[in-house]
Amino acid sequence: MNMGKKIRHKAETAEGAAKKAVGRATGNAHLEAEGSKEQAKGNAKQMGDKVKDAGKKIKNALKH
């Protein structure tokens, strides 16, 4: 997995968490919900990265 993509996915998760926290602190339910959505999306992408990495490791282990 490309390191740049991993960093972007991590940043997306962090940005979502920040929006969620600001929304919660200010009582802005829309911003909080948007942050939760972005955080979940970033988490899902990170999980996909981990699955791809695990698949590559298994593939490489079977080659040797």
Side-chain angles (χ1 to χ4, degrees):
M1 176 54 46
N2 182 332
M3 186 57 75
K5 283 187 178 184
K6 286 183 179 184
I7 291 169
R8 281 195 302 270
H9 297 163
K10 190 74 161 176
E12 185 173 8
T13 301
E15 182 182 350
K19 278 187 181 181
K20 181 178 170 183
V22 169
R24 186 175 293 149
T26 61
N28 185 335
H30 177 73
L31 185 60
E32 185 177 354
E34 186 179 328
S36 291
K37 182 180 89 170
E38 286 183 19
Q39 187 177 15
K41 187 177 174 183
N43 283 336
K45 288 179 179 181
Q46 286 182 47
M47 185 58 66
D49 293 342
K50 290 177 183 179
V51 169
K52 286 179 184 178
D53 287 344
K56 287 179 183 179
K57 286 181 182 179
I58 291 170
K59 182 179 172 184
N60 288 335
L62 294 174
K63 283 184 178 180
H64 301 295

